[in-house]
């Protein structure tokens, strides 16, 4: 798949992304989990590599209004949704969030050690060379800078996430959850169909990169990071890696 086709694929995904995912309770939990793992402090500059529709940046600036966040993505349709969302969060965000259209397969358009923290959520699998992207994130992080990386395991499945969503609904409403779920499915059938087809496509792509825990740990370490922890999240369909830049200087 050439770069133009890849971009079109993500532009299409932007159309259904928030409408489906923001209704998914495991995705909302993932946003909260990443925000708390990052533990951003006032004054930090944060990079969101592959920010999509800006859901993570939106949450981070609410949790810590003193941060400055930069979201990078190559899909204009994702970025326009992200900008709209952040504008609605004004005045907190208006001067503290920047979005840049850039290809993560190329060097990041930032100088060395510009960021105190970085997140990269469900993006690593899609780039041409995961090691190159992680190396670039390492370069732009300050010494002791934190990386929160979220990426799917080998053979990711959609159904465990749906199951986790149903469980959360059940916990919240033991008698009414089935009606809530059925209502969501009926209302969202066209969007869900597109969403499922996109995810089946992602899963089937030989050129995408999925890692088991050991491979992921080795990859992150080989890029110079100290791996603090790796835990399964998102109904077991993502790894959440907490890592730290060990030393300054390029590898
Ligand atoms: C599954 S979405 C994740 C978005 C966001 N991080 C989230 O979790 O909600 C993957 C994102 O990576 C972006 N992406 C994929 N390949 C990219 C590349 N080579 N350069 C820049 N962005 C890329 C897509 O446009 C898309 O927004």
């Amino acid at each position: 798949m050439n770069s133009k086709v890849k971009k079109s694929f993500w532009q299409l995904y932007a159309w259904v992304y928030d409408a489906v995912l923001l209704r998914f309770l495991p995705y909302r939990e993932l946003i909260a989990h990443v925000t708390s793992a990052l533990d951003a402090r006032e004054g930090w500059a944060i990079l969101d590599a592959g920010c999509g529709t800006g859901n993570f940046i939106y949450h981070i600036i609410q949790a810590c209004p003193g941060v400055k966040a930069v979201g990078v993505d190559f899909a204009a349709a994702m970025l326009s949704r992200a900008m709209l969302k952040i504008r609605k969060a004004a005045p907190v965000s208006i001067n503290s969030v920047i979005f840049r259209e850039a290809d993560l397969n190329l060097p990041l358009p930032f100088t060395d050690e510009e960021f105190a923290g970085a997140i990269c959520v469900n993006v690593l699998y899609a780039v041409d060379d995961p090691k190159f992207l992680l190396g670039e994130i390492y370069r732009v992080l300050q010494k002791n800078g934190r990386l929160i990386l979220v990426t799917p395991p080998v053979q990711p499945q959609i159904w465990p996430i749906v199951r986790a969503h149903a469980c959360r609904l059940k916990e919240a409403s033991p008698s009414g959850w089935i009606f809530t779920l059925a209502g969501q499915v009926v209302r969202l059938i066209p969007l869900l169909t597109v969403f499922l087809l996109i995810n089946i496509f992602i899963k089937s792509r030989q050129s995408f990169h999925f890692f088991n825990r050991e491979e992921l740990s080795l990859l992150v370490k080989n890029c110079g990071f100290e791996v603090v922890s790796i835990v399964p999240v998102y109904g077991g369909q993502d790894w959440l890696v907490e890592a730290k830049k060990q030393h300054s200087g390029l590898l």
Side-chain angles (χ1 to χ4, degrees):
M1 207 170 22
N2 68 37
S3 165
K4 225 170 158 185
V5 178
K6 272 188 190 163
K7 228 187 239 191
S8 313
F9 167 77
W10 292 110
Q11 303 274 40
L12 170 72
Y13 202 3
W15 179 61
V16 294
Y17 200 78
D18 279 355
V20 175
L21 271 178
L22 284 177
R23 288 185 170 86
F24 252 136
L25 299 175
Y27 180 71
R28 288 185 169 272
E29 282 169 9
L30 181 63
I31 295 174
H33 200 142
V34 168
T35 305
S36 85
L38 182 66
D39 196 18
R41 303 295 156 86
E42 206 175 327
W44 278 23
I46 303 293
L47 169 69
D48 185 351
C51 61
T53 59
N55 292 326
F56 288 79
I57 286 187
Y58 180 85
H59 201 80
I60 288 166
I61 59 167
Q62 304 287 333
C64 188
V67 302
K68 292 209 174 303
V70 180
V72 173
D73 206 289
F74 72 170
M78 290 279 186
L79 288 175
S80 59
R81 282 164 173 79
M83 284 174 202
L84 213 66
K85 193 172 292 162
I86 298 299
R87 231 174 269 149
K88 280 189 192 151
V92 168
S93 57
I94 210 76
N95 294 316
S96 56
V97 181
I98 296 168
F99 290 105
R100 287 189 70 160
E101 194 174 324
D103 188 341
L104 297 172
N105 292 317
L106 302 174
L108 290 172
F110 307 110
T111 54
D112 297 354
E113 305 192 355
E114 221 176 298
F115 297 96
I119 63 169
C120 181
V121 183
N122 286 327
V123 176
L124 195 71
Y125 67 85
V127 295
D128 291 347
D129 180 356
K131 188 160 188 241
F132 174 78
L133 174 57
L134 286 176
E136 276 297 291
I137 293 176
Y138 184 91
R139 178 181 68 76
V140 300
L141 272 179
Q142 295 159 7
K143 189 177 176 192
N144 291 321
R146 290 171 66 71
L147 166 66
I148 306 301
L149 172 69
V150 176
T151 196
V154 177
Q155 296 195 325
Q157 307 284 330
I158 193 87
W159 299 114
I161 308 168
V162 176
R163 224 175 12 245
H165 174 69
C167 282
R168 295 292 174 277
L169 288 179
K170 200 171 177 180
E171 280 159 21
S173 169
S175 55
W177 70 276
I178 194 80
F179 301 106
T180 310
L181 184 63
Q184 287 178 335
V185 171
V186 169
R187 268 198 313 279
L188 290 174
I189 273 179
L191 297 181
L192 267 177
T193 308
V194 178
F195 182 84
L196 283 175
L197 289 174
I198 288 174
N199 276 275
I200 289 167
F201 175 76
I202 289 175
K203 199 178 155 233
S204 68
R205 286 299 302 171
Q206 299 294 325
S207 60
F208 284 164
H209 312 275
F210 301 112
F211 303 100
N212 65 35
R213 188 196 289 260
E214 288 69 34
E215 290 164 344
L216 189 57
S217 173
L218 199 63
L219 174 69
V220 176
K221 281 181 189 158
N222 282 343
C223 292
F225 289 97
E226 175 194 342
V227 173
V228 178
S229 65
I230 302 185
V231 291
V233 290
Y234 201 41
Q237 300 312 298
D238 264 328
W239 298 116
L240 187 146
V241 183
E242 272 188 61
K244 211 165 75 178
K245 177 165 176 171
Q246 275 183 321
H247 34 68
S248 59
L250 297 177
L251 289 176

